[in-house]
Amino acid sequence: MFNHVTEVPKTHDEEYEESRPTASVKQVSYPTPTSSINTANCPVVADSKDFLISMKTGATELYAKLPEHLMTTLRCVPNYMIFSDLEQDISDYHVHSALEDVSDKYKYSHRDFEFYRRLLDLAAKGQDLSLMKITTQAHGSAWDLDKWKFVPITHKTYAAQPDAKWYIFLEADSYMAWPNVLELLAQYDPGKPWYLGAVHFFGDTAFAHGGMGYFISNAAMRKLDAIWDRKHITKWERMTAEGCCGDVDLGAVLYEAGVNLTGIPGLYGEGVTWFEWDPERWCEPAISWHHMRAHDVESLYQFETKWLGKGETHYVYRDLFVNLVEPHIASTRSDWDNASRDRIYTGLEGLHGDEDRRFKKKTIWSDLEEQEQEDVWRELNDGRKESIENDGYYLKDNRWDELSDEERETAFSELHDWEQVAHESLRNCRVACEEWNECMQFFYSTTGTGRCHLHRRVRLGHYLDARDVEVDEDTGLAVNRTTSGWMMDRVRDMKDRAERCESVPNWMRKYAENERLNESD
């Protein structure tokens, strides 16, 4: 099942595995990664001796997401492996199984593998596995199965090419900016144990978010390989069975191997449609995107090809905004949702708060938890402390959805006049955005009594098909027509105020030096 197996005393789990008819431990000869591909006209090509790319996908989405990568991003990297739930071929490209090495006791009995067992059955019958996404033929889901892939894929990738300097992991709905990726990795010594990614926490476990991609150095892989034995594998599989997420498990496994996570910039969990453009990230080099559709992958690939074809070597978010976003925003656009979500107005019954906005609610002081009382008390002045001691009530800051109907009426009456009527018309919605000095864009829909959404940062959003418009039979008016708009003067001001960007190599060198200094402290 696994390479590099070390003899250790048997546990109950191991004895169980050995009692099964089919041995779950076997020596595997891993296939050679793809290396003979046509890289003509590619914007950049990663050296096959130094980098091995691992792309993870699922059997039900293989034909929806993978072909676009094979024609674009993967065409320009000579060394990659593709992993899915099952071993398959797509045209001339081989897809490796991420799950074949998982112990039989889990594959053939654990609830997470109900979906997998149904996949095996349908594949044996020659059926279209993508139909599993829209049928109820199997309990469980691809998400339940996905968490089991991370740790095995990491080891299989290393075993396929143990002399690569860097191992790059991404998913089929991700996009990596190879020119910037290669420049970033050049700042770190692969002879040291690096685990680089977007830092997240699950409890006390630090892990790199899988969808945004992550990078593991050769030295880190060697540390993991040093403890790749039956004893550890049994424990890790049990952890996966009981845990939530594969990227969390991988973070824990690497930590056990003595490899800590280091945060890097430029990895985000949105695609271009939902990305928030602001001066803080203006000069940051783009590294990866997540939740990308095939069309999004193609758009970024075309931009990258044209941009580097002009003699440029790298790009930052400013360049993407100017080329991919700014040409498509205007003072108004019909049948468009620009993903404004910070403030939502739909009248008294609407949502008038956001994460930064609170409304006062009369709360019985004794109902607060002891720790909350201590935290609040430290921040109160003597007058408010005396008031609480006298009447036992505290005016607590609450979100809109935490208010009672009566409290909402009071809160609504205290809103600005332009907020109270923002939902009534497109004009009122625009006025609300103008009045709120943080607002960069708005969205208005005629649905119901009207909806007005405001947002602090610039988002592109997406087209809404006008054919889906509903018409009121009595009035003949559209009841859910949508319009988006941007405060173009504020957008121009944002660009004018943004700092002048230095070269990407200098920016990354300074970032990496700061990270190393922080780690030494």
Side-chain angles (χ1 to χ4, degrees):
M1 177 169 123
F2 298 105
N3 285 350
H4 313 292
V5 177
T6 301
E7 290 298 325
V8 296
K10 291 183 174 64
T11 65
H12 174 75
D13 287 334
E14 293 159 1
E15 292 173 349
Y16 174 91
E17 291 172 27
E18 292 184 350
S19 69
R20 294 194 59 81
T22 302
S24 58
V25 178
K26 59 187 177 184
Q27 294 296 321
V28 177
S29 176
Y30 291 103
T32 303
T34 304
S35 58
S36 57
I37 58 176
N38 180 14
T39 57
N41 301 319
C42 281
V44 65
V45 178
D47 192 323
S48 61
K49 298 188 301 298
D50 295 342
F51 304 95
L52 176 54
I53 289 84
S54 172
M55 175 172 284
K56 176 171 69 68
T57 186
T60 62
E61 61 184 17
L62 193 69
Y63 295 98
K65 296 180 178 179
L66 189 57
E68 179 64 31
H69 282 288
L70 294 174
M71 292 187 294
T72 57
T73 59
L74 291 182
R75 190 178 68 82
C76 295
V77 289
N79 213 19
Y80 63 83
M81 298 179 72
I82 303 167
F83 291 94
S84 182
D85 310 290
L86 310 174
E87 186 166 3
Q88 296 173 263
D89 288 304
I90 177 169
S91 185
D92 296 329
Y93 302 91
H94 188 67
V95 179
H96 306 283
S97 169
L99 300 168
E100 64 180 350
D101 292 346
V102 177
S103 300
D104 290 352
K105 62 171 288 189
Y106 291 106
K107 283 195 294 189
Y108 300 113
S109 63
H110 195 277
R111 62 183 181 275
D112 287 347
F113 282 86
E114 291 182 31
F115 191 80
Y116 172 74
R117 293 189 287 272
R118 187 60 177 159
L119 281 175
L120 287 176
D121 180 56
L122 291 182
K125 296 174 180 176
Q127 298 302 295
D128 181 358
L129 300 182
S130 66
L131 296 178
M132 290 282 285
K133 296 170 62 176
I134 56 176
T135 67
T136 57
Q137 296 181 61
H139 298 291
S141 68
W143 173 253
D144 297 328
L145 204 54
D146 186 73
K147 68 179 182 179
W148 290 87
K149 301 175 185 177
F150 283 79
V151 175
I153 283 177
T154 304
H155 179 256
K156 288 167 76 78
T157 303
Y158 174 71
Q161 190 172 326
D163 57 347
K165 293 181 180 179
W166 288 101
Y167 302 86
I168 301 173
F169 297 85
L170 72 159
E171 300 188 0
D173 62 346
S174 304
Y175 184 95
M176 282 199 173
W178 295 124
N180 292 345
V181 167
L182 301 183
E183 187 64 48
L184 174 74
L185 295 180
Q187 311 302 320
Y188 297 88
D189 180 1
K192 294 182 179 180
W194 291 108
Y195 167 38
L196 309 173
V199 179
H200 288 68
F201 283 89
F202 186 83
D204 295 330
T205 302
F207 67 97
H209 189 282
M212 301 180 197
Y214 50 94
F215 313 90
I216 304 178
S217 69
N218 183 276
M221 285 292 209
R222 292 200 307 271
K223 279 181 167 288
L224 176 60
D225 190 60
I227 61 171
W228 193 265
D229 54 53
R230 188 190 293 273
K231 177 182 178 181
H232 285 91
I233 292 164
T234 299
K235 181 176 71 170
W236 297 337
E237 288 188 335
R238 187 184 305 115
M239 174 179 66
T240 302
E242 298 170 354
C244 75
C245 315
D247 44 10
V248 176
D249 296 337
L250 179 59
V253 167
L254 286 170
Y255 181 78
E256 186 173 1
V259 181
N260 294 315
L261 174 61
T262 297
I264 55 175
L267 296 91
Y268 290 101
E270 312 93 11
V272 175
T273 296
W274 278 81
F275 189 80
E276 294 186 322
W277 307 87
D278 62 64
E280 295 177 3
R281 294 182 281 195
W282 203 241
C283 292
E284 191 173 299
I287 298 295
S288 78
W289 307 81
H290 190 211
H291 296 133
M292 300 287 285
R293 297 169 300 175
H295 173 267
D296 302 321
V297 171
E298 180 66 28
S299 295
L300 280 173
Y301 177 79
Q302 291 295 338
F303 159 77
E304 196 172 86
T305 301
K306 293 175 183 177
W307 181 258
L308 299 176
K310 296 188 299 184
E312 301 289 347
T313 55
H314 308 87
Y315 55 90
V316 295
Y317 286 108
R318 173 202 61 195
D319 304 317
L320 289 164
F321 177 82
V322 170
N323 287 273
L324 296 182
V325 177
E326 193 173 21
H328 302 291
I329 63 175
S331 57
T332 56
R333 287 201 69 169
S334 298
D335 304 316
W336 196 271
D337 179 4
N338 63 6
S340 295
R341 298 292 187 271
D342 280 341
R343 288 190 178 178
I344 301 176
Y345 300 103
T346 60
L348 179 58
E349 302 302 319
L351 306 175
H352 298 280
D354 57 46
E355 288 304 314
D356 297 325
R357 195 178 196 188
R358 296 292 184 268
F359 300 88
K360 298 296 183 183
K361 178 179 180 179
K362 196 174 184 179
T363 305
I364 299 175
W365 178 257
S366 59
D367 287 347
L368 302 180
E369 298 287 341
E370 183 177 346
Q371 185 60 53
E372 185 176 3
Q373 287 182 351
E374 293 178 4
D375 294 340
V376 170
W377 195 260
R378 285 194 296 268
E379 302 298 325
L380 298 178
N381 58 38
D382 292 339
R384 295 190 67 187
K385 290 178 180 178
E386 184 178 351
S387 175
I388 292 172
E389 290 172 340
N390 290 337
D391 58 29
Y393 287 97
Y394 163 61
L395 288 178
K396 183 181 178 182
D397 290 334
N398 286 263
R399 296 191 305 271
W400 178 266
D401 58 4
E402 295 173 325
L403 304 178
S404 66
D405 291 344
E406 183 178 349
E407 289 164 341
R408 288 186 181 186
E409 289 186 19
T410 300
F412 186 78
S413 68
E414 295 174 352
L415 294 175
H416 295 289
D417 292 343
W418 49 266
E419 291 183 286
Q420 295 182 28
V421 299
H423 67 288
E424 294 180 356
S425 69
L426 173 61
R427 180 181 181 280
N428 288 358
C429 187
R430 171 179 280 279
V431 169
C433 190
E434 292 171 347
E435 291 291 337
W436 185 30
N437 59 11
E438 295 182 49
C439 184
M440 296 295 290
Q441 61 181 47
F442 63 91
F443 164 83
Y444 183 75
S445 171
T446 56
T447 301
T449 58
R451 297 180 67 86
C452 175
H453 298 194
L454 309 181
H455 209 71
R456 291 180 176 86
R457 295 179 177 84
V458 176
R459 277 178 169 167
L460 174 59
H462 58 88
Y463 173 70
L464 290 179
D465 195 335
R467 290 178 298 177
D468 296 333
V469 170
E470 298 176 11
V471 177
D472 186 281
E473 294 181 359
D474 296 327
T475 64
L477 299 175
V479 295
N480 67 336
R481 199 64 183 263
T482 59
T483 303
S484 291
W486 292 262
M487 299 289 101
M488 298 304 294
D489 55 339
R490 295 178 185 176
V491 172
R492 285 188 289 270
D493 183 58
M494 177 190 75
K495 291 176 58 181
D496 292 341
R497 287 185 290 106
E499 62 181 305
R500 182 177 179 181
C501 301
E502 63 181 321
S503 71
V504 169
N506 286 342
W507 194 99
M508 287 185 171
R509 176 178 52 79
K510 291 178 181 178
Y511 182 91
E513 288 176 352
N514 288 335
E515 284 297 306
R516 285 190 283 270
L517 287 174
N518 292 336
E519 289 188 354
S520 64
D521 289 342

